[in-house]
Amino acid sequence: MELDEEYDVLLRDVCIRAAKSRISSNDTDDVRIIQAVQALDDIDRNVNELSERLLEWYGAYFPELELTGEALASFVTSFGSRANVPAGHPLHEKASGSMGAEISFADEELLRTFASNLCSLYDTRRHIESYIVTGMGSLAPNLSDIAGALLGARLISMAGSLQKLASFPSSTVQVIGAHRALFKHLRSNTPSPKHGIIYNNIIIKNAPWWQRGKLARAFASKISLAARTDLYSGKKNPSIRESMEKKLNAIRAANPSPPKRESKPTGKPGPKGRGRNRKGGRR
Amino acid sequence: MPVEELSDGIFNLSIDDRQMLATRNLMPGISVYGERLIVEDDVEYRQWDPSRSKLGAMVLRNFEIPLTYDSTVLYLGAASGTTVSHVSDILRDGLVYAVEFSPRTMRDLLQLCDQRPNIIPILADANKPQSYAHIVEKVDVIFQDVAQPNQAEIAAVNSKYFLEENGHLMLSIKSRSIDTVASPKKIFKDEVRKLESGFDVEFEVLQRKELEPFHEDHLGVLARMFVDHEEKE
Ligand SMILES: C[S@@+](CC[C@H](N)C(=O)[O-])C[C@H]1O[C@@H](n2cnc3c(N)ncnc32)[C@H](O)[C@@H]1O
């Protein structure tokens, strides 16, 4: 009797530990990647703000300098005052003829520090990206193969987990990230969104407008398949990509030219709205 | 406040003319999912909401509940442990093996297990009883609430592996998990027939009732398993 009880205590202990360790190996992979994706977004937001600030601030001393973003930050980090741009440097001439104000030593130091912090944020960003790519290779090899590691990671992040992404119907995957367009569509009769963040993949982005909806649907369905394969087998299966290529090519071949516009001059929101919509799409 | 014990460990409290289902709190002072705690005669009870628990609903639909203080129970589809916590209350001197296959959900269940010494958590798929056969011993009762299309089959294979001779199976069948369009009545009939003669273990269905109004399109089933055909007579 006592032995029995001891056994149960032990068994329970072992079971709790087994479950915990399986959960920590199972669950944390996508949690880590989701955190990394969100860190990317945080960095982007901050980097944008800070580099805007640097542009304006440094612009007072060197308004002719036409650099932005990381190029600007690394220029300021290496030279500080435009007086330090050496002869022979492509910007030397602009620097010596600048109408900008003289920079004091204190300001120069401050701006250099500011700019170099910005540079390390850009570095960290790259670092995180490669972390995501590596992590996705083991968490979701098929999804990475189909959608690319970064888009794949973003889909997982927006779905909440790999498991959730895998459980979505592909029509949902197709519009993940299109919340605003979707709600607008539900409220007023704008056309329903054909793609959410999967739009960012060149498969859709570079396609002519009349193929996009069809391509997006096929793409989303392969993404779903890939996510499910990743969740249940975890092994890479190249045939998913092959069948996707086939499918996409078939769609491209079947729709070589834009459909004829319906020749109704009346301002029906349907087809007209569609044509107009494409305009903003080609970025 | 009148307290009536409906069956082992399951109580009906009357508070201000209202009836309340409850179990006796194994861990006084701790509320598991925000349910109300009520103390009467130095005993603390936990309110048991039948609309959050198929087993709770079965109690109120007058099922004969086969649980006693020292039963061992295999619970399939434990989720985060809402119902398991009440089973744990009932089985003061018993044990419940709680099987759940979603790691995220198991995480919540584990917190419950940390508090309660009579729950053994198993992260596994109930379709694969082999994967926990080394852990689970013969049990008196299997309770199953998995909301899967092959519910009857899951119940049968697990019973074959783990249920004592003449042990009881309590089952919640969700018609929509089996077929979203067919009529629940027809689905229930088919599932019960499967239990009675569709597998190499056989069950005698003792009670079957829909769990309305607590759970829509759910059937509760209480059955007893026969291992050997000869033993039936
Ligand atoms: C309706 S919920 C159970 C609710 C729980 N019985 C309660 O009353 O608190 C069904 C649960 O069964 C789990 N489940 C479904 N299929 C399963 C399987 N094959 N093996 C183990 N658990 C499963 C689901 O993850 C889900 O948590």
Side-chain angles (χ1 to χ4, degrees):
Chain A
M1 186 69 216
E2 246 168 49
L3 257 177
D4 253 20
E5 258 170 44
E6 256 177 61
Y7 173 80
D8 286 346
V9 170
L10 225 89
L11 180 68
R12 174 174 164 275
D13 202 50
V14 169
C15 285
I16 290 180
R17 273 197 240 176
K20 280 186 180 166
S21 84
R22 278 193 49 207
I23 286 171
S24 54
S25 60
N26 197 319
D27 239 24
T28 49
D29 278 356
D30 59 358
V31 170
R32 271 191 238 128
I33 285 183
I34 289 171
Q35 290 295 339
V37 168
Q38 291 175 356
L40 270 193
D41 291 347
D42 293 345
I43 289 186
D44 283 347
R45 245 193 336 272
N46 283 298
V47 152
N48 282 340
E49 244 180 46
L50 295 175
S51 66
E52 286 284 311
R53 176 62 49 220
L54 181 63
L55 186 65
E56 266 191 54
W57 195 349
Y58 194 71
Y61 304 108
F62 192 173
E64 296 82 0
L65 183 68
E66 281 176 337
L67 298 176
T68 56
E70 188 170 11
L72 173 67
S74 72
F75 178 93
V76 178
T77 309
S78 14
F79 302 118
S81 164
R82 63 185 149 79
N84 298 333
V85 179
H89 190 279
L91 289 165
H92 176 71
E93 212 166 301
K94 267 191 185 166
S96 33
S98 171
M99 63 176 155
E102 289 298 315
I103 191 167
S104 75
F105 184 67
D107 287 21
E108 183 181 344
E109 281 302 285
L110 195 57
L111 275 163
R112 269 182 128 145
T113 318
F114 185 75
S116 103
N117 281 328
L118 192 47
C119 284
S120 26
L121 278 179
Y122 282 109
D123 277 346
T124 308
R125 192 187 190 290
R126 271 189 290 273
H127 198 115
I128 294 177
E129 269 192 10
S130 71
Y131 172 92
I132 292 175
V133 171
T134 315
M136 284 291 286
S138 61
L139 174 73
N142 292 295
L143 182 57
S144 303
D145 191 30
I146 297 299
L150 290 177
L151 177 56
R154 195 160 288 276
L155 285 165
I156 292 177
S157 163
M158 296 181 101
S161 68
L162 176 59
Q163 195 182 10
K164 285 216 188 98
L165 181 63
S167 72
F168 287 164
S170 66
S171 55
T172 304
V173 172
Q174 197 180 336
V175 295
I176 288 179
H179 287 91
R180 240 189 291 155
L182 189 62
F183 287 131
K184 202 169 155 206
H185 160 68
L186 294 175
R187 262 199 319 270
S188 46
N189 60 349
T190 54
S192 74
K194 281 184 206 57
H195 25 60
I197 63 161
I198 65 167
Y199 175 78
N200 288 320
N201 190 284
I202 45 167
I203 292 173
I204 317 293
K205 208 171 179 171
N206 292 356
W209 59 265
W210 66 89
Q211 292 177 355
R212 280 189 195 151
K214 294 185 180 68
L215 291 174
R217 182 137 33 92
F219 187 41
S221 91
K222 295 301 174 185
I223 287 176
S224 286
L225 180 62
R228 282 167 207 167
T229 312
D230 287 334
L231 185 68
Y232 289 107
S233 92
K235 282 194 216 72
K236 184 155 165 181
N237 178 355
S239 71
I240 303 178
R241 187 179 177 98
E242 284 156 25
S243 75
M244 176 176 79
E245 300 289 350
K246 249 198 221 144
K247 181 92 220 230
L248 296 180
N249 285 332
I251 292 174
R252 291 181 187 117
N255 300 277
S257 51
K260 296 241 156 39
R261 297 267 166 92
E262 279 161 56
S263 54
K264 252 193 221 154
T266 47
K268 278 256 163 113
K272 194 175 161 212
R274 277 177 173 205
R276 249 209 328 255
N277 235 14
R278 299 305 122 209
K279 213 173 60 191
R282 186 161 299 145
R283 257 171 287 163
Chain B
M1 178 184 74
V3 174
E4 178 197 0
E5 187 161 11
L6 299 173
S7 81
D8 270 11
I10 302 175
F11 300 86
N12 180 37
L13 315 183
S14 311
I15 300 176
D16 309 329
D17 289 342
R18 296 198 50 193
Q19 307 295 304
M20 179 192 287
L21 194 63
T23 53
R24 189 174 176 154
N25 197 352
L26 186 69
M27 297 284 132
I30 302 177
S31 161
V32 173
Y33 51 95
E35 76 285 5
R36 205 172 137 186
L37 305 179
I38 303 107
V39 180
E40 176 72 15
D41 287 338
D42 290 334
V43 178
E44 184 177 291
Y45 298 91
R46 291 168 55 228
Q47 177 174 18
W48 188 2
D49 180 353
S51 62
R52 296 184 61 172
S53 167
K54 315 296 154 40
L55 182 56
M58 287 171 89
V59 173
L60 292 188
R61 296 299 324 263
N62 296 316
F63 276 79
E64 291 285 332
I65 305 298
L67 302 173
T68 61
Y69 297 126
D70 58 359
S71 305
T72 53
V73 176
L74 174 60
Y75 193 120
L76 304 171
S80 49
T82 310
T83 303
V84 174
S85 69
H86 290 288
V87 174
S88 149
D89 278 351
I90 297 166
L91 310 178
R92 282 204 311 253
D93 306 318
L95 200 61
V96 51
Y97 298 95
V99 177
E100 170 58 50
F101 78 165
S102 149
R104 178 65 194 81
T105 310
M106 177 54 86
R107 216 163 76 190
D108 298 336
L109 183 65
L110 283 171
Q111 311 213 320
L112 185 71
C113 296
D114 278 340
Q115 292 166 3
R116 289 173 171 257
N118 59 357
I119 308 174
I120 296 187
I122 300 173
L123 177 59
D125 183 341
N127 281 298
K128 298 185 185 129
Q130 325 78 276
S131 71
Y132 45 90
H134 60 296
I135 299 171
V136 180
E137 294 179 293
K138 287 276 178 196
V139 298
D140 305 308
V141 178
I142 292 182
F143 181 82
Q144 175 179 308
D145 181 13
V146 289
Q148 289 284 331
N150 60 339
Q151 300 171 29
E153 195 188 341
I154 293 177
V157 285
N158 279 278
S159 299
K160 187 173 171 192
Y161 265 87
F162 304 116
L163 197 54
E164 290 276 13
E165 258 173 64
N166 295 320
H168 287 91
L169 168 70
M170 297 190 87
L171 186 62
S172 154
I173 298 174
K174 180 181 178 185
S175 65
R176 257 180 295 132
S177 306
I178 294 171
D179 188 327
T180 43
V181 283
S183 95
K185 296 262 183 292
K186 168 153 193 320
I187 294 171
F188 293 153
K189 213 165 132 196
D190 291 350
E191 292 301 299
V192 169
R193 185 163 327 128
K194 270 192 226 162
L195 279 179
E196 283 171 336
S197 56
F199 306 100
D200 55 354
V201 288
E202 276 185 29
F203 297 94
E204 177 192 6
V205 172
L206 304 173
Q207 278 183 296
R208 46 162 297 178
K209 272 181 211 163
E210 297 194 23
L211 301 182
E212 228 109 67
F214 310 108
H215 302 272
E216 218 176 291
D217 294 341
H218 280 77
L219 184 75
V221 175
L222 172 66
R224 196 156 44 136
M225 182 184 67
F226 297 109
V227 179
D228 200 335
H229 293 221
E230 272 91 51
E231 276 183 13
K232 251 198 222 176
E233 294 341 287

